[in-house]
Amino acid sequence: MKLPTLKYSRRLSATDYIYNFLATISGLTLFSIEFIKQAVVPPFEVEQIKKHMDELGVKTLPIVSVTGLIIGLVLAMQSYPVLARFGATDFLPGMVALSVVRELAPVITALIFAGRVSSGIGAELGSMRVTEQIDAMEVSAVNPFKFLVVTRVIATTMILPLLTIYVIVIAILGGYIAVIITESMTFEYYKNAVITSIEFGDFIPGVAKTFVFGYIVGIVGAYKGFTAEGGTEGVGKASTTSVVISSLLILIFDMVLVKITLWLWPTLG
């Protein structure tokens, strides 16, 4: 698979930056096509996928737990004074739940996931590339793309939706903690208000788009690591640019997916 070569220099011109941007987009496209080809051909390396789901997903639970709790707390505390002006504090549980389910939990979880996982994949595969471990796998008749890339991308695609559901629950509980600090509201009332406010059309689109975000995190990190060059400096660049590109693509695709969601479910608008 022939991928575009990026230009590295201490002084890049504007033309060089444009070239690198276009080369990255075209390289990611070719890399994604190769992933699709390899992903549907056995063997499927199920054990490696499980291993990476544990390493990349389960070990991310502490940071997303704290993030989810803070999201719910801050959203509820910031919204309460505004709703109190209009005597609409009864709508606070529903507002927190809808905001978290539709947008905040999927996007913020994906960005946190990108910061931890995409950089890790980029650094790991980049180190293997510059130390010629990937070349050694090719010589040993092992398909490095399938073993290193496909397994990690599938793992990130599958684990991020599960993390998002977890963050949604934690954030809603965080909202309840903020509510009981500001006013007396029973958990039963809060729970019923949350359940009443969330519909199928709210939950499914918000979680479904995290499959796309998980794929972006995995494919960008794997691409930057797999194509790293230039020794340890190249590994550092692969790790850094993995986070930047994956975060940017998550925000861009979120904007597109929100528009598609509103088109498919007009009642959400």
Side-chain angles (χ1 to χ4, degrees):
M1 180 179 54
K2 181 68 174 177
L3 295 173
T5 303
L6 301 182
K7 295 181 179 180
Y8 295 102
S9 174
R10 294 187 179 275
R11 293 184 179 180
L12 292 177
S13 64
T15 305
D16 292 333
Y17 280 112
I18 295 174
Y19 170 83
N20 283 348
F21 173 77
L22 295 177
T24 300
I25 297 300
S26 61
L28 274 172
T29 302
L30 294 173
F31 206 73
S32 297
I33 293 172
E34 184 66 20
F35 165 79
I36 295 171
K37 291 179 181 178
Q38 299 270 5
V40 297
V41 177
F44 297 109
E45 305 290 351
V46 176
E47 291 302 319
Q48 283 296 313
I49 293 173
K50 290 180 180 178
K51 172 189 172 184
H52 293 313
M53 287 182 70
D54 176 60
E55 291 178 350
L56 304 177
V58 176
K59 293 181 180 178
T60 311
L61 281 176
I63 186 171
V64 297
S65 298
V66 175
T67 302
L69 187 64
I70 292 175
I71 290 173
L73 281 167
V74 172
L75 182 61
M77 287 190 294
Q78 291 279 17
S79 303
Y80 179 80
V82 178
L83 295 177
R85 290 184 199 173
F86 304 97
T89 54
D90 289 343
F91 294 102
L92 184 60
M95 191 216 69
V96 171
L98 284 174
S99 300
V100 167
V101 169
R102 284 191 182 186
E103 190 64 20
L104 289 179
V107 174
I108 294 180
T109 304
L111 293 175
I112 295 294
F113 192 67
R116 182 190 180 278
V117 172
S118 191
S119 61
I121 294 175
E124 185 179 6
L125 296 189
S127 298
M128 296 181 71
R129 170 61 74 185
V130 300
T131 56
E132 299 182 349
Q133 294 180 52
I134 294 178
D135 297 331
M137 292 178 69
E138 293 175 344
V139 173
S140 304
V142 176
N143 185 345
F145 192 96
K146 191 171 190 65
F147 191 79
L148 299 176
V149 175
V150 173
T151 54
R152 284 171 171 80
V153 176
I154 292 177
T156 57
T157 304
M158 294 174 64
I159 199 67
L160 185 55
L162 300 178
L163 287 175
T164 302
I165 294 172
Y166 173 75
V167 169
I168 288 172
V169 175
I170 297 297
I172 291 175
L173 290 176
Y176 175 68
I177 294 173
V179 167
I180 61 175
I181 291 174
T182 53
E183 68 169 27
S184 57
M185 182 182 293
T186 65
F187 180 76
E188 190 68 22
Y189 178 86
Y190 183 86
K191 181 189 71 175
N192 292 335
V194 168
I195 294 174
T196 303
S197 63
I198 299 177
E199 298 178 354
F200 180 81
D202 299 311
F203 184 79
I204 297 302
V207 174
K209 64 185 178 182
T210 58
F211 284 97
V212 179
F213 297 160
Y215 174 78
I216 289 172
V217 170
I219 202 71
V220 171
Y223 168 71
K224 298 304 292 186
F226 207 76
T227 58
E229 56 184 20
T232 55
E233 185 178 356
V235 175
K237 288 180 179 178
S239 178
T240 303
T241 55
S242 295
V243 179
V244 174
I245 294 174
S246 58
S247 299
L248 181 61
L249 288 178
I250 284 170
L251 296 175
I252 293 173
F253 272 85
D254 179 57
M255 179 178 62
V256 175
L257 292 171
V258 165
K259 186 64 178 177
I260 294 174
T261 299
L262 293 175
W263 177 64
L264 294 175
W265 283 273
T267 56
L268 294 180

